[in-house]
Amino acid sequence: MAYRLIDAAGLQRGRLTGLVLRGEDLADVGQVAEQISLDAAREDRLLAEAVSDRIREKFGPGAIGPAAAYRHAS
């Protein structure tokens, strides 16, 4: 809904400096499937973190690390 509001503003070069959303009759956190977010980069990082945790659980703590720490194969 927030993205649709921003798109509806039709700004070509303008910049929104604030947007207020008001929620009424909100559901308890235990009753919702997923919390929405307007920060796609943060959501991507959280997803990558969850995947990394699953890989470490399956293959051990040394399975994932900085690329610079690995030696070249050849």
Side-chain angles (χ1 to χ4, degrees):
M1 180 64 151
Y3 286 127
R4 288 190 300 203
L5 288 171
I6 292 170
D7 289 341
L11 302 174
Q12 293 295 321
R13 294 182 182 260
R15 183 173 76 190
L16 291 177
T17 59
L19 177 67
V20 176
L21 300 175
R22 178 179 170 175
E24 297 178 353
D25 297 324
L26 299 175
D28 186 59
V29 69
Q31 297 176 340
V32 296
E34 182 179 344
Q35 181 177 348
I36 63 168
S37 173
L38 299 177
D39 188 353
R42 179 179 182 274
E43 293 301 314
D44 291 343
R45 285 191 306 272
L46 291 174
L47 178 62
E49 182 178 318
V51 170
S52 298
D53 289 343
R54 289 197 311 261
I55 291 172
R56 285 186 184 102
E57 285 176 15
K58 185 172 183 176
F59 298 106
I64 296 179
Y70 288 100
R71 296 182 313 175
H72 291 282
S74 52

